[in-house]
Amino acid sequence: MSAPSNVASYDRRDLRAALRNGSFTLHLGPFSHLVSGASEPLLDFLSDTYRDYSVELTPSDVTDVLLRLEAPNILRRFIRRQITPNPGFKVPAVPLPLSMSPLAFEMGLNLSVALKCCRFINVHAGVVADKDGAIVMSAASGGGKSTLTAALLQHGYRLFSDEFALLGLDQPLLHPYPRPISLKQETIPVVRDMVGDNWISKVVTGTPKGDIAYYRARASDLAQDKTSAKAKLVLFPKFEKGVRPIARQLNPAEAIMRLVPASTNYSLLGEPAFHAITGLLKNIRAYEITYGSTIDSLRLVEQITDQKLV
Amino acid sequence: MAAAPPTTSEKWSSDSHQYLAVEYDDTFLVYFRPSGETHFLNFLSYGMVHAVSSGPLSEEEILARMRTDFSLTAEELPETLVATTLSELDQAGLITALDAGT
Amino acid sequence: MTEKPIVPDTSDSESETSEDSRIAERRQLLMLGAAGLPMMLTLKASAQQALVSQLTCSITLPKRVRILVDCDGRAWVGTRNIQYKNGKGFKVADIVKFKDKATYAFPAGDVPNYWLPDNCPIEECSNDDDDDDDDFDYETASAELDDLMRTSLPSQADGIALASIRMGDDDDDDDCDEDWIDSGYAFYKLSKNSTILPVDHTSGTGWSPQANKQGLFIALSLVYESRHGDAPGWPGISCIVSIINYFGTQN
Amino acid sequence: MQKSALKQIVGIAPLPEKVMDRIELVRNADANHILGQMASANTSDVSDRLHDIFRNALLRAGHDHIMLQFEINRLEHALSGTGIEPVVLKGGAYVARGKKAAGGRRVSDLDILVAEDELEEVETRLKEAGWSPDEATDNEYDQAYYREHMHELPPLRHAKRGTIIDVHHRLLPKTARSNVDVALMQQSAMRIAENPVRTFDDVDMFVHSAVHVFADGAIDTPARSLVELYLLYIELSSDDALRLKTRAKAVGAIKAVSTALWAIDEFFDEDNALALSNEALAEKPNFILRWAIATKTLERPSAPLAKLLLYIRSHYLRMPLRLLVPHLARKAVAWRPTTKKPIELPFP
């Protein structure tokens, strides 16, 4: 049994063997993930984008997530070398070419966390934090959330997650889960310009969602993956081409009305979830911000946070 | 006056231990324990749930109470609005009908 | 853009909503209520609901669809019919014409094994050494159960016309009539306005086309998607792509 | 699933020492929808991480139980003033009675039993209260099938809450060859509180579960069914256990009950159950059935065949051949296996 260590510290052969045996265990934030299914594209991806993440090649305990990346059953001889994520419960998963293994891996982990882990309220939202607290950003896909997250990371914030706000049930605190940030299509060059080539994974081209690349989390973010934070602001960002930047403050009730439908498990969790979501909005403000450029969005956030919060 | 409509024989009640409410500027976020559901209630619907929590009231009594509590005229708060709101609240389980006889 | 971003400073005004404006708001709300707006709203969470709505798109065929499959797993898709006579088989001229006028042609190997014709003249791809133990061994079952099984085998259920029909087709001679051919092809007919729910053809581990003609249509749709993406031309391709996309948005 | 796994899940055998075995057990329990039962049976000697995973499962079950209690409340609301006293069956009954079998159990639908002559009024009242035929069965064929041959109304789904209620008026279909004296069981059903909704008593709950599993053909979830039977069984008082035989005879469920007792011994080594089974039973459960149950439960390589046999058997028990053949043919379209696993059969 090995103590957890960075992906980069392992031999590729050992990583491959662990993935084959289904003993590869990724530890991140509150969750542990057991993954099986080795492929060269996945190994390439892990040794680059996940280089600083903590893994064990033999699990030391049971894990929250059990993910199998496997060849699709029925069509396995139909379209060659395909892969599909199997999180252990029924979801219609689409087979992907083997070259898209990183996508299958990320997709599988997201499905598992979204639909299976209910010790936290999962809200589909990006979260970053500084010493004053966390900013929760909830947006529809394509709302420019990932770009804004990446931009805030360049301005003194640390990454909690670009995908899930994990809100504690016992206390209304946000918990980090700093997986790599997924970038789609035209956001790839924008973020690449912002953070530099070294931080962006190889582009997976031709996925059902177009081109996808991943922005690697920083070692400093990963080092604080157990440090939770109180929220200081809730944002609903909206990117619209050529629009004049504007912020509209929302009644907390309206913010809750928007956050709950973005949650995968609010209804399931009942009373603790009610306390948590009202606790989250207590004494903080919520804004809808609309903007046409990254610079504008940063200035809006700056202006909002500069007004001293209650 | 003798022939009251049949609905008025019904009295409505609610149990304040069964729900949690947080007010946001005249809007109430209400968690209802028996159903595990979260509802948004406005001042009227919440006012009605709250009013019948301290003792059963008939529809007529609720109507009168809401008009007084919120200083509304009969025109502003018509009977039908109270009736439909009662039925919404009843469907969600937030209030319960008691037979006048019991 | 030279204008300053606008963040309205609402910290004071918000908390000092005057009694008057509150009453005005309430009156307005009541008017809306009288007009039928509900006085309460129940929150419904769950990405799963969104998931379901994205997955429940259906395909309604705008025209009839006919699919001809040969033993090598080629497929031709069109709208023409092919004459079939019991004991003789398919009319060769119709087959030639069908291939000629087909809207789409899929190369060898594109059709999964299940939909290949049952009667193929040369058993060329018999390297089927896989472990699919599909043939149930029900020797141990009682005779009654056994009978039951046979009666309920889905040979030509659901309108699938097979080139060779197992039951009641004793015309096994292989002499090739010039005009008719009784082996080497399977022909599937989907009628106009028939509805296909792609989500019925998925399972926990991926696409899982059902063993019927709709399943073949789905299988071919996937091949089409893998080659052409959501390029229009194939009926219902956007529905297929929306399901595939669901997983993209999860990312 | 291994025999030892079933015992570990219900907490009568220690959890595996090796981490990978433990993981496999959790995976298995989850795949068989009994992770919650495992969580509520295994409360001590649990690592923090396992505790987290158990908590996940219990939170889900907790949600189901609240939902179910509320559905019972809404059912009472819908039937108020009719004098109808429905009997809540299966998961709903376990939850309402706080049975061990409810611990961590997921419940999705509310099943109720009413007298045949109450059926019409119940349907009307439920429809007035917002339930309507579920889309999946809202077609002529299925509607007719349910009404003519089955023992329930087609499932009704509530338009606002999305929950499903199944209204039965007997425990086995009209067409079933052997039948259970449901009136007798209804007579001894008891009110849950002062409300009109009732459940069976402990003995009849076990009898019904046995009928459901072994005469009604609910074999899609064998591990779950066996765990349920076991949990109901161990909660019977010794008097109740002795009463099983006479009760099963009286209501005409002797075969199902003795098969259940046989299975409890077979999978959980409850010797008393076997003794009761032997005593109760003139003939042992037939060997094809025993073999099929064991095969399916333990997921031996021939499981698809076992499933097929059980599927056919369940239909065979419910319906005369004349009815069975066309129905199977209709349902069998999706059926010729194209994978190692047969395609899931839509079980009516």
Side-chain angles (χ1 to χ4, degrees), chain A residues 22 30 32 34 59-64 66 68 74 115-119 170 267-268, chain D residues 19-20 22-23 26-27 30 47 49-50 52-53 55-56 59-60 63 338-339 344:
Chain A
S32 59
L34 190 75
S60 52
D61 200 348
V62 293
T63 61
D64 302 81
L66 299 166
R68 286 172 168 161
I74 183 170
L115 303 178
K116 203 78 181 180
C117 297
C118 44
R119 289 179 286 119
D170 308 321
S267 300
L268 188 94
Chain D
V19 172
M20 284 310 275
R22 233 171 230 233
I23 289 173
V26 168
R27 197 200 293 270
D30 199 16
S47 71
R49 190 59 80 172
L50 189 54
D52 284 348
I53 290 168
R55 190 173 170 212
N56 266 342
L59 282 166
R60 285 172 183 280
H63 164 262
T338 54
T339 67
E344 288 290 325

mmCIF file of all heavy atoms in Angstrom, chain A residues 22 30 32 34 59-64 66 68 74 115-119 170 267-268, chain D residues 19-20 22-23 26-27 30 47 49-50 52-53 55-56 59-60 63 338-339 344:
data_model
loop_
_atom_site.group_PDB
_atom_site.id
_atom_site.type_symbol
_atom_site.label_atom_id
_atom_site.label_comp_id
_atom_site.label_asym_id
_atom_site.label_seq_id
_atom_site.Cartn_x
_atom_site.Cartn_y
_atom_site.Cartn_z
ATOM 1 N N GLY A 22 -7.738 -1.407 -12.104
ATOM 2 C CA GLY A 22 -8.814 -0.709 -11.418
ATOM 3 C C GLY A 22 -8.440 -0.370 -9.995
ATOM 4 O O GLY A 22 -9.272 -0.426 -9.087
ATOM 5 N N PRO A 30 -13.094 16.657 -1.024
ATOM 6 C CA PRO A 30 -13.735 15.711 -0.103
ATOM 7 C C PRO A 30 -13.904 14.306 -0.681
ATOM 8 O O PRO A 30 -14.352 13.426 0.020
ATOM 9 C CB PRO A 30 -15.113 16.345 0.133
ATOM 10 C CG PRO A 30 -15.377 17.177 -1.066
ATOM 11 C CD PRO A 30 -14.063 17.624 -1.602
ATOM 12 N N SER A 32 -12.807 10.714 -2.968
ATOM 13 C CA SER A 32 -11.796 9.841 -3.552
ATOM 14 C C SER A 32 -12.451 9.091 -4.710
ATOM 15 O O SER A 32 -13.644 8.810 -4.681
ATOM 16 C CB SER A 32 -11.265 8.866 -2.505
ATOM 17 O OG SER A 32 -12.323 8.090 -1.989
ATOM 18 N N LEU A 34 -12.012 5.945 -7.567
ATOM 19 C CA LEU A 34 -11.321 4.768 -8.066
ATOM 20 C C LEU A 34 -11.615 4.652 -9.560
ATOM 21 O O LEU A 34 -12.772 4.632 -9.961
ATOM 22 C CB LEU A 34 -11.831 3.519 -7.332
ATOM 23 C CG LEU A 34 -11.052 2.236 -7.573
ATOM 24 C CD1 LEU A 34 -9.734 2.274 -6.806
ATOM 25 C CD2 LEU A 34 -11.869 1.030 -7.119
ATOM 26 N N PRO A 59 -5.722 1.527 -3.486
ATOM 27 C CA PRO A 59 -6.550 2.320 -2.589
ATOM 28 C C PRO A 59 -6.360 1.896 -1.141
ATOM 29 O O PRO A 59 -6.208 0.706 -0.860
ATOM 30 C CB PRO A 59 -7.978 2.020 -3.059
ATOM 31 C CG PRO A 59 -7.897 0.723 -3.768
ATOM 32 C CD PRO A 59 -6.514 0.637 -4.348
ATOM 33 N N SER A 60 -6.342 2.868 -0.239
ATOM 34 C CA SER A 60 -6.194 2.539 1.171
ATOM 35 C C SER A 60 -7.544 2.413 1.862
ATOM 36 O O SER A 60 -7.631 2.017 3.001
ATOM 37 C CB SER A 60 -5.347 3.601 1.865
ATOM 38 O OG SER A 60 -5.882 4.873 1.593
ATOM 39 N N ASP A 61 -8.602 2.764 1.144
ATOM 40 C CA ASP A 61 -9.946 2.620 1.717
ATOM 41 C C ASP A 61 -10.958 2.602 0.574
ATOM 42 O O ASP A 61 -10.596 2.818 -0.582
ATOM 43 C CB ASP A 61 -10.238 3.792 2.671
ATOM 44 C CG ASP A 61 -11.364 3.463 3.660
ATOM 45 O OD1 ASP A 61 -12.056 2.439 3.465
ATOM 46 O OD2 ASP A 61 -11.545 4.227 4.626
ATOM 47 N N VAL A 62 -12.211 2.376 0.935
ATOM 48 C CA VAL A 62 -13.267 2.461 -0.082
ATOM 49 C C VAL A 62 -13.298 3.883 -0.640
ATOM 50 O O VAL A 62 -12.788 4.807 -0.005
ATOM 51 C CB VAL A 62 -14.646 2.103 0.514
ATOM 52 C CG1 VAL A 62 -14.700 0.655 0.903
ATOM 53 C CG2 VAL A 62 -14.958 2.995 1.707
ATOM 54 N N THR A 63 -13.890 4.040 -1.813
ATOM 55 C CA THR A 63 -13.885 5.362 -2.446
ATOM 56 C C THR A 63 -15.301 5.830 -2.761
ATOM 57 O O THR A 63 -16.214 5.019 -2.896
ATOM 58 C CB THR A 63 -13.087 5.330 -3.774
ATOM 59 O OG1 THR A 63 -13.728 4.401 -4.649
ATOM 60 C CG2 THR A 63 -11.652 4.933 -3.547
ATOM 61 N N ASP A 64 -15.449 7.151 -2.855
ATOM 62 C CA ASP A 64 -16.770 7.719 -3.146
ATOM 63 C C ASP A 64 -17.209 7.394 -4.564
ATOM 64 O O ASP A 64 -18.365 7.106 -4.820
ATOM 65 C CB ASP A 64 -16.730 9.249 -3.026
ATOM 66 C CG ASP A 64 -16.278 9.697 -1.666
ATOM 67 O OD1 ASP A 64 -15.045 9.712 -1.411
ATOM 68 O OD2 ASP A 64 -17.136 10.008 -0.836
ATOM 69 N N LEU A 66 -16.721 5.300 -8.167
ATOM 70 C CA LEU A 66 -16.183 4.116 -8.829
ATOM 71 C C LEU A 66 -16.444 4.294 -10.315
ATOM 72 O O LEU A 66 -17.573 4.191 -10.766
ATOM 73 C CB LEU A 66 -16.914 2.857 -8.330
ATOM 74 C CG LEU A 66 -16.795 2.555 -6.838
ATOM 75 C CD1 LEU A 66 -17.813 1.503 -6.414
ATOM 76 C CD2 LEU A 66 -15.389 2.059 -6.518
ATOM 77 N N ARG A 68 -15.589 3.333 -14.243
ATOM 78 C CA ARG A 68 -14.943 2.431 -15.200
ATOM 79 C C ARG A 68 -14.995 3.075 -16.576
ATOM 80 O O ARG A 68 -16.060 3.503 -17.024
ATOM 81 C CB ARG A 68 -15.698 1.104 -15.266
ATOM 82 C CG ARG A 68 -15.476 0.225 -14.071
ATOM 83 C CD ARG A 68 -16.420 -0.962 -14.137
ATOM 84 N NE ARG A 68 -16.035 -1.961 -13.153
ATOM 85 C CZ ARG A 68 -16.837 -2.922 -12.722
ATOM 86 N NH1 ARG A 68 -18.060 -3.026 -13.188
ATOM 87 N NH2 ARG A 68 -16.427 -3.798 -11.829
ATOM 88 N N ILE A 74 -22.067 -3.085 -26.896
ATOM 89 C CA ILE A 74 -22.718 -3.716 -28.032
ATOM 90 C C ILE A 74 -22.039 -3.386 -29.347
ATOM 91 O O ILE A 74 -21.949 -4.205 -30.252
ATOM 92 C CB ILE A 74 -24.195 -3.325 -28.061
ATOM 93 C CG1 ILE A 74 -24.882 -4.050 -29.192
ATOM 94 C CG2 ILE A 74 -24.381 -1.839 -28.176
ATOM 95 C CD1 ILE A 74 -26.361 -3.909 -29.131
ATOM 96 N N LEU A 115 -24.473 13.156 -9.598
ATOM 97 C CA LEU A 115 -25.666 12.357 -9.342
ATOM 98 C C LEU A 115 -25.517 11.391 -8.177
ATOM 99 O O LEU A 115 -26.473 10.783 -7.744
ATOM 100 C CB LEU A 115 -26.060 11.583 -10.606
ATOM 101 C CG LEU A 115 -26.315 12.455 -11.834
ATOM 102 C CD1 LEU A 115 -26.655 11.606 -13.037
ATOM 103 C CD2 LEU A 115 -27.428 13.463 -11.572
ATOM 104 N N LYS A 116 -24.306 11.257 -7.672
ATOM 105 C CA LYS A 116 -24.113 10.212 -6.680
ATOM 106 C C LYS A 116 -23.718 10.757 -5.306
ATOM 107 O O LYS A 116 -24.064 10.177 -4.294
ATOM 108 C CB LYS A 116 -23.001 9.272 -7.185
ATOM 109 C CG LYS A 116 -23.057 7.902 -6.587
ATOM 110 C CD LYS A 116 -24.125 7.088 -7.236
ATOM 111 C CE LYS A 116 -24.180 5.709 -6.597
ATOM 112 N NZ LYS A 116 -25.210 4.891 -7.196
ATOM 113 N N CYS A 117 -22.969 11.826 -5.281
ATOM 114 C CA CYS A 117 -22.437 12.289 -3.997
ATOM 115 C C CYS A 117 -23.401 13.285 -3.381
ATOM 116 O O CYS A 117 -23.578 14.376 -3.902
ATOM 117 C CB CYS A 117 -21.067 12.919 -4.186
ATOM 118 S SG CYS A 117 -19.873 11.728 -4.786
ATOM 119 N N CYS A 118 -24.041 12.932 -2.307
ATOM 120 C CA CYS A 118 -25.021 13.867 -1.763
ATOM 121 C C CYS A 118 -24.707 14.284 -0.338
ATOM 122 O O CYS A 118 -25.586 14.663 0.397
ATOM 123 C CB CYS A 118 -26.436 13.341 -1.932
ATOM 124 S SG CYS A 118 -26.650 11.633 -1.524
ATOM 125 N N ARG A 119 -23.450 14.237 0.042
ATOM 126 C CA ARG A 119 -23.100 14.771 1.357
ATOM 127 C C ARG A 119 -22.949 16.283 1.299
ATOM 128 O O ARG A 119 -22.738 16.943 2.298
ATOM 129 C CB ARG A 119 -21.802 14.142 1.851
ATOM 130 C CG ARG A 119 -21.964 12.693 2.246
ATOM 131 C CD ARG A 119 -20.670 12.106 2.707
ATOM 132 N NE ARG A 119 -19.769 11.850 1.597
ATOM 133 C CZ ARG A 119 -18.583 12.417 1.469
ATOM 134 N NH1 ARG A 119 -18.155 13.300 2.348
ATOM 135 N NH2 ARG A 119 -17.810 12.110 0.439
ATOM 136 N N ASP A 170 -23.879 20.754 6.981
ATOM 137 C CA ASP A 170 -23.905 21.084 8.403
ATOM 138 C C ASP A 170 -23.640 22.565 8.640
ATOM 139 O O ASP A 170 -24.196 23.176 9.532
ATOM 140 C CB ASP A 170 -22.891 20.224 9.154
ATOM 141 C CG ASP A 170 -23.101 18.743 8.841
ATOM 142 O OD1 ASP A 170 -24.277 18.335 8.736
ATOM 143 O OD2 ASP A 170 -22.111 18.014 8.649
ATOM 144 N N SER A 267 -33.349 18.949 -3.861
ATOM 145 C CA SER A 267 -34.626 18.362 -3.438
ATOM 146 C C SER A 267 -34.419 17.116 -2.587
ATOM 147 O O SER A 267 -35.155 16.855 -1.649
ATOM 148 C CB SER A 267 -35.467 17.964 -4.646
ATOM 149 O OG SER A 267 -35.733 19.079 -5.425
ATOM 150 N N LEU A 268 -33.408 16.375 -2.960
ATOM 151 C CA LEU A 268 -33.127 15.131 -2.263
ATOM 152 C C LEU A 268 -32.759 15.375 -0.811
ATOM 153 O O LEU A 268 -33.047 14.578 0.069
ATOM 154 C CB LEU A 268 -31.955 14.470 -2.992
ATOM 155 C CG LEU A 268 -31.603 13.068 -2.575
ATOM 156 C CD1 LEU A 268 -32.336 12.109 -3.493
ATOM 157 C CD2 LEU A 268 -30.118 12.839 -2.682
ATOM 158 N N VAL D 19 -9.166 -4.152 1.207
ATOM 159 C CA VAL D 19 -9.823 -2.949 0.691
ATOM 160 C C VAL D 19 -10.513 -3.229 -0.640
ATOM 161 O O VAL D 19 -11.666 -2.844 -0.843
ATOM 162 C CB VAL D 19 -8.800 -1.805 0.539
ATOM 163 C CG1 VAL D 19 -9.435 -0.625 -0.169
ATOM 164 C CG2 VAL D 19 -8.298 -1.381 1.903
ATOM 165 N N MET D 20 -9.836 -3.919 -1.536
ATOM 166 C CA MET D 20 -10.434 -4.155 -2.851
ATOM 167 C C MET D 20 -11.709 -4.998 -2.726
ATOM 168 O O MET D 20 -12.666 -4.808 -3.463
ATOM 169 C CB MET D 20 -9.445 -4.823 -3.815
ATOM 170 C CG MET D 20 -8.386 -3.886 -4.388
ATOM 171 S SD MET D 20 -8.993 -2.331 -5.100
ATOM 172 C CE MET D 20 -9.422 -2.836 -6.761
ATOM 173 N N ARG D 22 -13.686 -4.979 -0.148
ATOM 174 C CA ARG D 22 -14.665 -4.062 0.421
ATOM 175 C C ARG D 22 -15.275 -3.175 -0.677
ATOM 176 O O ARG D 22 -16.481 -2.955 -0.727
ATOM 177 C CB ARG D 22 -13.972 -3.154 1.434
ATOM 178 C CG ARG D 22 -14.628 -3.135 2.770
ATOM 179 C CD ARG D 22 -13.753 -2.386 3.757
ATOM 180 N NE ARG D 22 -13.616 -3.238 4.912
ATOM 181 C CZ ARG D 22 -13.890 -2.831 6.158
ATOM 182 N NH1 ARG D 22 -14.242 -1.591 6.383
ATOM 183 N NH2 ARG D 22 -13.780 -3.657 7.168
ATOM 184 N N ILE D 23 -14.392 -2.697 -1.532
ATOM 185 C CA ILE D 23 -14.861 -1.851 -2.631
ATOM 186 C C ILE D 23 -15.820 -2.631 -3.526
ATOM 187 O O ILE D 23 -16.876 -2.151 -3.916
ATOM 188 C CB ILE D 23 -13.655 -1.315 -3.437
ATOM 189 C CG1 ILE D 23 -12.894 -0.274 -2.613
ATOM 190 C CG2 ILE D 23 -14.109 -0.737 -4.778
ATOM 191 C CD1 ILE D 23 -11.592 0.193 -3.232
ATOM 192 N N VAL D 26 -19.176 -2.935 -1.888
ATOM 193 C CA VAL D 26 -19.946 -1.681 -1.976
ATOM 194 C C VAL D 26 -20.508 -1.526 -3.391
ATOM 195 O O VAL D 26 -21.678 -1.192 -3.585
ATOM 196 C CB VAL D 26 -19.066 -0.468 -1.602
ATOM 197 C CG1 VAL D 26 -19.743 0.840 -1.975
ATOM 198 C CG2 VAL D 26 -18.747 -0.489 -0.111
ATOM 199 N N ARG D 27 -19.674 -1.812 -4.361
ATOM 200 C CA ARG D 27 -20.106 -1.676 -5.752
ATOM 201 C C ARG D 27 -21.308 -2.596 -6.033
ATOM 202 O O ARG D 27 -22.288 -2.201 -6.647
ATOM 203 C CB ARG D 27 -18.945 -2.064 -6.689
ATOM 204 C CG ARG D 27 -19.132 -1.592 -8.129
ATOM 205 C CD ARG D 27 -18.263 -2.376 -9.105
ATOM 206 N NE ARG D 27 -16.830 -2.181 -8.982
ATOM 207 C CZ ARG D 27 -16.110 -1.250 -9.616
ATOM 208 N NH1 ARG D 27 -16.695 -0.388 -10.394
ATOM 209 N NH2 ARG D 27 -14.812 -1.184 -9.457
ATOM 210 N N ASP D 30 -24.465 -1.475 -4.245
ATOM 211 C CA ASP D 30 -25.023 -0.319 -4.935
ATOM 212 C C ASP D 30 -25.725 -0.747 -6.222
ATOM 213 O O ASP D 30 -26.844 -0.341 -6.504
ATOM 214 C CB ASP D 30 -23.898 0.678 -5.230
ATOM 215 C CG ASP D 30 -24.450 2.062 -5.516
ATOM 216 O OD1 ASP D 30 -25.627 2.308 -5.193
ATOM 217 O OD2 ASP D 30 -23.707 2.895 -6.059
ATOM 218 N N SER D 47 -14.998 2.725 8.668
ATOM 219 C CA SER D 47 -14.034 3.806 8.478
ATOM 220 C C SER D 47 -14.762 5.095 8.120
ATOM 221 O O SER D 47 -15.922 5.075 7.728
ATOM 222 C CB SER D 47 -13.059 3.450 7.357
ATOM 223 O OG SER D 47 -13.739 3.489 6.115
ATOM 224 N N ARG D 49 -14.417 6.962 5.616
ATOM 225 C CA ARG D 49 -14.776 7.018 4.209
ATOM 226 C C ARG D 49 -15.996 6.141 3.931
ATOM 227 O O ARG D 49 -16.914 6.543 3.218
ATOM 228 C CB ARG D 49 -13.566 6.560 3.375
ATOM 229 C CG ARG D 49 -13.710 6.779 1.913
ATOM 230 C CD ARG D 49 -13.938 8.229 1.517
ATOM 231 N NE ARG D 49 -12.732 9.020 1.488
ATOM 232 C CZ ARG D 49 -12.683 10.278 1.024
ATOM 233 N NH1 ARG D 49 -13.783 10.873 0.574
ATOM 234 N NH2 ARG D 49 -11.569 10.942 1.049
ATOM 235 N N LEU D 50 -16.015 4.983 4.533
ATOM 236 C CA LEU D 50 -17.176 4.108 4.360
ATOM 237 C C LEU D 50 -18.407 4.773 4.979
ATOM 238 O O LEU D 50 -19.516 4.703 4.439
ATOM 239 C CB LEU D 50 -16.912 2.740 4.998
ATOM 240 C CG LEU D 50 -17.961 1.657 4.710
ATOM 241 C CD1 LEU D 50 -18.180 1.480 3.222
ATOM 242 C CD2 LEU D 50 -17.563 0.326 5.338
ATOM 243 N N ASP D 52 -18.956 7.923 5.098
ATOM 244 C CA ASP D 52 -19.396 8.926 4.114
ATOM 245 C C ASP D 52 -20.265 8.295 3.034
ATOM 246 O O ASP D 52 -21.288 8.840 2.639
ATOM 247 C CB ASP D 52 -18.174 9.558 3.415
ATOM 248 C CG ASP D 52 -17.464 10.555 4.318
ATOM 249 O OD1 ASP D 52 -18.030 10.915 5.368
ATOM 250 O OD2 ASP D 52 -16.333 10.962 3.969
ATOM 251 N N ILE D 53 -19.813 7.153 2.557
ATOM 252 C CA ILE D 53 -20.536 6.488 1.479
ATOM 253 C C ILE D 53 -21.889 5.993 1.972
ATOM 254 O O ILE D 53 -22.909 6.129 1.296
ATOM 255 C CB ILE D 53 -19.674 5.336 0.925
ATOM 256 C CG1 ILE D 53 -18.486 5.938 0.187
ATOM 257 C CG2 ILE D 53 -20.478 4.428 0.018
ATOM 258 C CD1 ILE D 53 -17.418 4.942 -0.163
ATOM 259 N N ARG D 55 -23.497 7.345 4.360
ATOM 260 C CA ARG D 55 -24.335 8.524 4.594
ATOM 261 C C ARG D 55 -25.019 8.955 3.292
ATOM 262 O O ARG D 55 -26.200 9.308 3.293
ATOM 263 C CB ARG D 55 -23.481 9.668 5.160
ATOM 264 C CG ARG D 55 -24.339 10.815 5.642
ATOM 265 C CD ARG D 55 -23.552 11.887 6.368
ATOM 266 N NE ARG D 55 -24.419 13.052 6.577
ATOM 267 C CZ ARG D 55 -23.976 14.294 6.603
ATOM 268 N NH1 ARG D 55 -22.685 14.555 6.463
ATOM 269 N NH2 ARG D 55 -24.810 15.282 6.785
ATOM 270 N N ASN D 56 -24.273 8.907 2.206
ATOM 271 C CA ASN D 56 -24.863 9.181 0.891
ATOM 272 C C ASN D 56 -26.116 8.349 0.670
ATOM 273 O O ASN D 56 -27.159 8.847 0.272
ATOM 274 C CB ASN D 56 -23.880 8.787 -0.219
ATOM 275 C CG ASN D 56 -23.042 9.940 -0.682
ATOM 276 O OD1 ASN D 56 -23.378 11.097 -0.448
ATOM 277 N ND2 ASN D 56 -21.937 9.643 -1.328
ATOM 278 N N LEU D 59 -28.987 9.241 3.047
ATOM 279 C CA LEU D 59 -29.637 10.501 2.692
ATOM 280 C C LEU D 59 -30.656 10.283 1.571
ATOM 281 O O LEU D 59 -31.757 10.826 1.596
ATOM 282 C CB LEU D 59 -28.593 11.529 2.245
ATOM 283 C CG LEU D 59 -27.801 12.219 3.367
ATOM 284 C CD1 LEU D 59 -26.575 12.934 2.808
ATOM 285 C CD2 LEU D 59 -28.684 13.201 4.134
ATOM 286 N N ARG D 60 -30.263 9.466 0.611
ATOM 287 C CA ARG D 60 -31.196 9.175 -0.481
ATOM 288 C C ARG D 60 -32.441 8.471 0.031
ATOM 289 O O ARG D 60 -33.567 8.842 -0.310
ATOM 290 C CB ARG D 60 -30.523 8.266 -1.520
ATOM 291 C CG ARG D 60 -29.557 8.999 -2.361
ATOM 292 C CD ARG D 60 -28.749 8.076 -3.255
ATOM 293 N NE ARG D 60 -27.805 8.920 -3.950
ATOM 294 C CZ ARG D 60 -28.115 9.648 -5.007
ATOM 295 N NH1 ARG D 60 -29.331 9.581 -5.522
ATOM 296 N NH2 ARG D 60 -27.232 10.434 -5.555
ATOM 297 N N HIS D 63 -34.762 10.738 1.918
ATOM 298 C CA HIS D 63 -35.604 11.526 1.023
ATOM 299 C C HIS D 63 -36.804 10.709 0.544
ATOM 300 O O HIS D 63 -37.937 11.171 0.565
ATOM 301 C CB HIS D 63 -34.786 12.005 -0.175
ATOM 302 C CG HIS D 63 -35.635 12.484 -1.306
ATOM 303 N ND1 HIS D 63 -35.943 11.676 -2.386
ATOM 304 C CD2 HIS D 63 -36.274 13.655 -1.521
ATOM 305 C CE1 HIS D 63 -36.724 12.355 -3.210
ATOM 306 N NE2 HIS D 63 -36.938 13.550 -2.715
ATOM 307 N N THR D 338 -28.612 -9.375 -28.141
ATOM 308 C CA THR D 338 -27.521 -9.001 -29.027
ATOM 309 C C THR D 338 -26.263 -8.781 -28.220
ATOM 310 O O THR D 338 -25.228 -8.464 -28.744
ATOM 311 C CB THR D 338 -27.857 -7.704 -29.768
ATOM 312 O OG1 THR D 338 -28.194 -6.732 -28.793
ATOM 313 C CG2 THR D 338 -29.021 -7.883 -30.707
ATOM 314 N N THR D 339 -26.377 -8.898 -26.928
ATOM 315 C CA THR D 339 -25.192 -8.789 -26.085
ATOM 316 C C THR D 339 -25.217 -9.999 -25.177
ATOM 317 O O THR D 339 -26.153 -10.782 -25.202
ATOM 318 C CB THR D 339 -25.231 -7.538 -25.211
ATOM 319 O OG1 THR D 339 -26.304 -7.704 -24.280
ATOM 320 C CG2 THR D 339 -25.451 -6.298 -26.026
ATOM 321 N N GLU D 344 -32.988 -5.609 -20.986
ATOM 322 C CA GLU D 344 -33.943 -5.569 -19.872
ATOM 323 C C GLU D 344 -35.366 -5.696 -20.409
ATOM 324 O O GLU D 344 -35.760 -4.970 -21.305
ATOM 325 C CB GLU D 344 -33.831 -4.243 -19.124
ATOM 326 C CG GLU D 344 -32.577 -4.107 -18.309
ATOM 327 C CD GLU D 344 -32.576 -5.017 -17.100
ATOM 328 O OE1 GLU D 344 -33.653 -5.235 -16.515
ATOM 329 O OE2 GLU D 344 -31.505 -5.516 -16.738
#
